[in-house]
Amino acid sequence: MDFRELRFARAMEFTIHEINNRTDLLPDITLGYQIYDSCSAVPMAIKVAFQFANGLVPIFNYVNSCSKSVAAAVPALVGESASTPSISMARILGLFGIPQVSNYATCACLSDKRQFPAFFRTVPSDEHQAAALARMVKFFGWTWIGAVRSDSDYGNNGMAAFLKTAQEEGICVEYSEAYYRTQPRSKLERVANVIRKSTARVIVAFLASGDMKFLLEELARQPPPPLQWIGSETWIIETEFLRYNMCAGAIGFGIPRSVIPGLPEFLLDLSPEQALQSPLLMEFWERSFSCSLKGRTGSSEFLRECDGSEDIRALQNPYTDTSQLRVTNMVYKATYAIAHAIHGVICSGTLYLPLQILNRLKRVNFTTKNGYQVSFDSNGDPVAVYELINWQFKKDGALNFVPVGYYDSSKPRGQEFRMNSAISWVGGQTEVPVSVCSESCPPGTRKAVQKGRPVCCYDCIPCAEGEISNKTDSLDCLRCSAELWPNTKRDSCLPKSIEFLSWDDTLGIILTVFSVTGAFIAVCVTAVFYKHRASPIVRANNSELSFLLLFSLTLCFLCSLTFIGRPSEWSCMLRHTVFGITFVLCISCVLGKTIVVLMAFRATLPGSNVMKWFGLPQQRLSVLAFTLIQVIICVLWLTISPPFPFKNVKHYKDKIILECGLGSDVGFWAVLGYIGFLAVLCFILAFLARKLPDNFNEAKFITFSMLIFCAVWITFIPAYVSSPGKFTVAVEIFAILASSFGLIICIFAPKCFIIVFRPEQNTKKHLMGKSFLSWY
């Protein structure tokens, strides 16, 4: 016999007595009742439902407020407590429009009004509990859990609702097992072994009390590692289970605890004479005291006869335990709901039928004497209100139920759940236990799901080069923008370092020194030449071209400085155009000197008047013409598509190169090509004049200088293309300086040597002789 269910039945009896003694509710009407024990068996529940539907059980006679005598069969039903019997009864009673108000049938399936049009309940649907449990699991960060349920309508429907919400919340389930107490013991052992071997440290148990009892007894034989139990409302408030310390720290949603004034006294106000009047009370009395009541009819399983010394107040069992009164309050509310519906029907003057009571139940809205609101929504469900129950150790070491929070479905979304006390976790710990399949992936990594396993089981993969993740458990890495690059941890993007050939860079300083040195040398040579401008070696081969050549070489050395420093719009346009024009001016002068050498020796032949066609005016004009062509090329380049500063983010992954874009590749290579064309032409002419007789044949020095010039610039092309970053600019500066030094050394060094160190050879006679080259 289930003593707790007997308490529920007597609570209904108490409530009916309370209603009958009221003058404001059903005045002059006496409610009657009949109590049946279905034994939690579906066949018995169906049998009783058919009896109710057929009107075989007269329940009460009364006189209404209109002083009309009325007799009626069952107008409504309180019960059943379990979901499966309630489902069977509701299908039958719904066909006849007989309202059924359950105090503890929580299956979400009973909210379907198409199947169960006459079903109501004062206990919340498991749909709310399942959602609340899933959100609570998510709230505490548990993503890897186990699940076990009763293999019944209650367990299967409740767990299905929980798993659906859990999946939406990103929670993974390692296992989901079902068990019912009538199944073979081997099934129970298998479920227990799955729990023992699992890696999940949190287990959600959607079990009826009877099934939970069997499971805990089996686990107690070989306790599993410490588990954080999450309980459904049926067993989380079951005082019988407080003896299992393995469940210490368990949490779950239970029906709120209540106080029903007068009920404890009513339950204890039971004498042997009263017990003899009811088979249920007689069985309770005899089983509680292990004796046979005097005056009973029929045999008893107890040989000892009760002697009258039995004290019901000394009993400690579920019947006498009124410290919680959770589900009992649901019986209290259900009974009052039916009374209010009957009151509304009778006072409205309509025909008294179960169908009218059914319709009136849909609209009831009142507050009980102990302060609880009662109403039903369109599905026949009440507002879902739960207490969050935590099993905590008391000072004496025993476990106790402690409310630590509440859930109220009437609150706005996101505010339904609130905590008001500290939770004691598994084993009495104060820290929230961890239950994850894989540890969280730190910033700088991303989650990669392990093949064939749930999404909560993953590996942490470092972000690829150029990508970051700046939060924990990132699903994907984010690529940094073109001007940013990840830090070493790859959890944030930092500005890339900027690279260009700067003035304070070591390479920039070296090239600047060489550039200034070259320009200084050119100025010094100019000074020497100017001082000895009347000497034969300076006057030979057009001194005007020599001074112009020295001026252009000075510009060539200095133009390399425009390549150093942060590129700007003006510096980008200036560096290439100044370089192109000054070098053409330089090569034009050398070309003019080469042509003069060839023409001079042609003029010594009898009858030759070549020099009159290439005198000073023609030499000046040739230099101007050659240079003007380059100027036109540069103007066209700057007009159509000029060079521009830009940030090269492709060459290096972790830094930005500030450089000058060519604008037009054709313009750039046209400038270089024209310089190369003049250099090659000059080299060919100088090579042809190298064997002309003279102690100082300048064509040989021009040949050497052009050979160096061409070699430098031929080497420059592949080096320029392949050099990275600032070294591209350095290669171009090096080519400018190398070719400029080649020209100044090959052409002017021999002359300066004679002027400074061999002044005796600086005579016209000696220059026309044949022994000059003996020193060189």
Side-chain angles (χ1 to χ4, degrees):
M1 183 179 190
D2 190 337
F3 290 171
R4 190 181 68 156
E5 288 289 338
L6 178 61
R7 170 157 46 89
F8 296 162
R10 295 222 69 201
M12 184 189 76
E13 182 183 356
F14 164 81
T15 308
I16 291 176
H17 285 309
E18 186 177 88
I19 293 169
N20 288 338
N21 289 327
R22 291 179 59 170
T23 58
D24 60 332
L25 182 64
L26 294 174
D28 300 326
I29 296 176
T30 301
L31 291 179
Y33 60 90
Q34 185 76 19
I35 298 174
Y36 281 86
D37 185 5
S38 69
C39 302
S40 296
V42 173
M44 182 63 73
I46 294 175
K47 177 183 176 182
V48 173
F50 273 118
Q51 289 179 339
F52 290 157
N54 292 327
L56 297 179
V57 185
I59 300 302
F60 56 81
N61 292 310
Y62 61 87
V63 178
N64 65 13
S65 58
C66 300
S67 300
K68 294 179 180 179
S69 180
V70 180
V74 176
L77 200 70
V78 176
E80 237 265 6
S81 294
S83 292
T84 300
S86 291
I87 291 171
S88 302
M89 294 182 70
R91 291 188 190 279
I92 297 170
L93 297 175
L95 297 174
F96 298 94
I98 299 176
Q100 174 187 359
V101 184
S102 173
N103 61 296
Y104 208 27
T106 58
C107 180
C109 59
L110 287 165
S111 298
D112 187 351
K113 292 293 101 178
R114 292 176 300 177
Q115 297 188 62
F116 312 105
F119 182 83
F120 298 83
R121 54 185 160 194
T122 51
V123 67
S125 165
D126 280 337
E127 182 178 359
H128 295 287
Q129 181 182 198
L133 288 173
R135 293 192 180 104
M136 181 181 68
V137 169
K138 180 67 174 180
F139 177 80
F140 290 117
W142 300 320
T143 58
W144 186 239
I145 65 171
V148 61
R149 67 188 186 277
S150 292
D151 197 1
S152 62
D153 291 302
Y154 165 75
N156 292 329
N157 284 278
M159 184 57 73
F162 169 79
L163 294 178
K164 179 182 177 182
T165 308
Q167 185 178 14
E168 293 171 356
E169 296 288 346
I171 300 167
C172 297
V173 179
E174 182 182 9
Y175 61 87
S176 180
E177 297 293 331
Y179 171 73
Y180 193 69
R181 54 186 173 274
T182 60
Q183 292 175 346
R185 182 172 181 79
S186 58
K187 177 67 178 295
L188 176 63
E189 292 173 347
R190 191 185 70 80
V191 172
N193 286 330
V194 169
I195 294 173
R196 292 186 184 106
K197 295 176 182 178
S198 72
T199 58
R201 298 274 66 84
V202 173
I203 178 171
V204 177
F206 225 103
L207 290 161
S209 298
D211 301 329
M212 187 65 180
K213 180 180 178 181
F214 278 93
L215 180 61
L216 290 177
E217 289 175 349
E218 175 61 30
L219 289 174
R221 298 174 59 189
Q222 185 182 344
L227 295 173
Q228 177 61 53
W229 289 87
I230 309 296
S232 59
E233 89 293 341
T234 52
W235 69 266
I236 199 67
I237 55 174
E238 184 61 63
T239 55
E240 180 186 358
F241 298 154
L242 291 175
R243 59 192 174 93
Y244 294 101
N245 284 349
M246 73 171 74
C247 293
I251 56 174
F253 291 105
I255 298 167
R257 183 171 52 182
S258 64
V259 174
I260 303 176
L263 178 63
E265 294 79 9
F266 177 83
L267 294 175
L268 297 177
D269 186 17
L270 182 64
S271 65
E273 291 75 16
Q274 291 174 305
L276 281 171
Q277 296 176 10
S278 167
L280 291 176
L281 294 176
M282 183 171 60
E283 182 182 356
F284 161 71
W285 191 277
E286 292 183 342
R287 285 186 178 275
S288 297
F289 298 108
S290 300
C291 65
S292 162
L293 277 170
K294 293 179 181 180
R296 78 184 315 278
T297 58
S299 60
S300 172
E301 61 179 300
F302 301 102
L303 299 178
R304 187 178 70 86
E305 192 175 71
C306 298
D307 57 9
S309 63
E310 296 82 16
D311 184 5
I312 192 172
R313 297 179 184 278
L315 291 176
Q316 291 185 352
N317 59 31
Y319 174 81
T320 60
D321 182 10
T322 56
S323 61
Q324 301 289 327
L325 295 184
R326 299 176 186 274
V327 182
T328 307
N329 193 42
M330 299 297 105
V331 177
Y332 186 73
K333 292 165 67 174
T335 308
Y336 257 106
I338 294 174
H340 275 271
I342 295 174
H343 181 86
V345 171
I346 293 175
C347 291
S348 67
T350 59
L351 183 61
Y352 176 74
L353 290 171
L355 188 59
Q356 273 68 48
I357 297 176
L358 173 63
N359 292 330
R360 182 63 65 171
L361 269 172
K362 298 176 181 179
R363 303 193 297 274
V364 296
N365 191 339
F366 63 94
T367 302
T368 62
K369 286 182 66 176
N370 61 345
Y372 288 90
Q373 186 73 21
V374 178
S375 63
F376 303 103
D377 63 15
S378 59
N379 295 322
D381 296 329
V383 173
V385 178
Y386 295 104
E387 260 184 359
L388 181 60
I389 306 298
N390 183 212
W391 290 18
Q392 297 185 9
F393 285 112
K394 296 188 291 185
K395 291 181 179 180
D396 61 1
L399 285 172
N400 188 32
F401 300 136
V402 177
V404 293
Y406 292 90
Y407 179 90
D408 188 346
S409 65
S410 65
K411 300 293 183 182
R413 182 170 178 82
Q415 301 178 22
E416 308 100 327
F417 178 64
R418 63 186 177 90
M419 303 283 296
N420 59 8
S421 183
I423 295 179
S424 175
W425 300 106
V426 53
Q429 297 177 0
T430 56
E431 294 184 358
V432 180
V434 176
S435 185
V436 294
C437 181
S438 301
E439 293 295 329
S440 295
C441 290
T445 63
R446 64 175 177 84
K447 296 198 297 187
V449 177
Q450 296 173 358
K451 188 175 182 180
R453 302 199 68 189
V455 294
C456 298
C457 301
Y458 48 80
D459 296 316
C460 297
I461 307 299
C463 288
E465 193 173 53
E467 296 181 345
I468 63 143
S469 64
N470 54 9
K471 61 182 180 179
T472 303
D473 288 335
S474 294
L475 296 176
D476 296 295
C477 294
L478 306 175
R479 180 164 292 279
C480 293
S481 63
E483 296 187 10
L484 301 177
W485 190 252
N487 59 359
T488 54
K489 294 182 179 179
R490 298 188 180 180
D491 58 2
S492 64
C493 293
L494 301 177
K496 291 181 179 179
S497 60
I498 297 177
E499 180 181 273
F500 60 91
L501 189 60
S502 63
W503 295 103
D504 54 356
D505 187 271
T506 302
L507 184 59
I509 293 173
I510 294 173
L511 293 175
T512 300
V513 169
F514 275 99
S515 177
V516 173
T517 301
F520 178 74
I521 293 173
V523 171
C524 290
V525 171
T526 303
V528 171
F529 267 48
Y530 183 77
K531 183 178 180 181
H532 301 86
R533 61 186 178 279
S535 63
I537 201 168
V538 175
R539 295 180 61 191
N541 199 359
N542 196 342
S543 60
E544 186 175 324
L545 286 180
S546 295
F547 283 110
L548 187 57
L549 177 57
L550 286 169
F551 171 72
S552 63
L553 282 173
T554 303
L555 294 180
C556 287
F557 282 116
L558 295 178
C559 80
S560 63
L561 297 177
T562 62
F563 289 81
I564 302 174
R566 190 184 189 93
S568 65
E569 186 175 349
W570 284 104
S571 68
C572 287
M573 291 190 293
L574 189 65
R575 63 173 58 172
H576 288 105
T577 52
V578 170
F579 151 71
I581 294 171
T582 56
F583 257 76
V584 165
L585 177 61
C586 179
I587 300 300
S588 298
C589 292
V590 175
L591 182 61
K593 292 174 71 67
T594 305
I595 295 173
V596 168
V597 172
L598 282 173
M599 295 301 178
F601 283 96
R602 291 273 184 184
T604 58
L605 297 176
S608 176
N609 58 351
V610 174
M611 283 306 296
K612 74 175 183 178
W613 299 106
F614 203 72
L616 286 176
Q618 288 81 7
Q619 294 174 27
R620 295 169 187 158
L621 186 61
S622 66
V623 171
L624 178 62
F626 287 137
T627 304
L628 187 59
I629 293 173
Q630 185 73 307
V631 170
I632 293 172
I633 294 174
C634 290
V635 169
L636 290 174
W637 182 14
L638 296 179
T639 302
I640 298 172
S641 181
F644 59 92
F646 84 102
K647 297 177 180 179
N648 186 341
V649 297
K650 296 181 179 179
H651 198 91
Y652 287 112
K653 297 175 181 177
D654 58 346
K655 54 186 173 182
I656 300 173
I657 304 171
L658 296 184
E659 56 185 30
C660 289
L662 296 178
S664 170
D665 291 339
V666 174
F668 175 72
W669 292 108
V671 168
L672 285 186
Y674 184 62
I675 295 172
F677 167 73
L678 293 180
V680 171
L681 180 61
C682 186
F683 173 75
I684 292 172
L685 294 178
F687 184 79
L688 294 175
R690 74 189 187 283
K691 293 185 178 180
L692 294 176
D694 196 344
N695 277 345
F696 191 77
N697 186 356
E698 195 172 25
K700 294 180 181 179
F701 303 122
I702 294 175
T703 302
F704 284 127
S705 66
M706 288 298 102
L707 188 61
I708 294 172
F709 185 92
C710 292
V712 167
W713 286 98
I714 290 173
T715 308
F716 159 78
I717 294 174
Y720 178 82
V721 172
S722 61
S723 296
K726 63 183 179 181
F727 297 104
T728 303
V729 179
V731 165
E732 194 166 357
I733 295 174
F734 175 79
I736 294 172
L737 295 178
S739 55
S740 299
F741 274 112
L743 287 171
I744 199 168
I745 290 173
C746 291
I747 295 177
F748 293 101
K751 296 180 180 180
C752 289
F753 182 83
I754 293 174
I755 293 172
V756 177
F757 299 105
R758 300 284 179 88
E760 69 278 4
Q761 296 181 3
N762 191 5
T763 62
K764 185 176 181 181
K765 179 181 179 181
H766 183 78
L767 292 178
M768 300 301 292
K770 298 187 178 184
S771 59
F772 169 74
L773 292 179
S774 60
W775 65 272
Y776 188 73

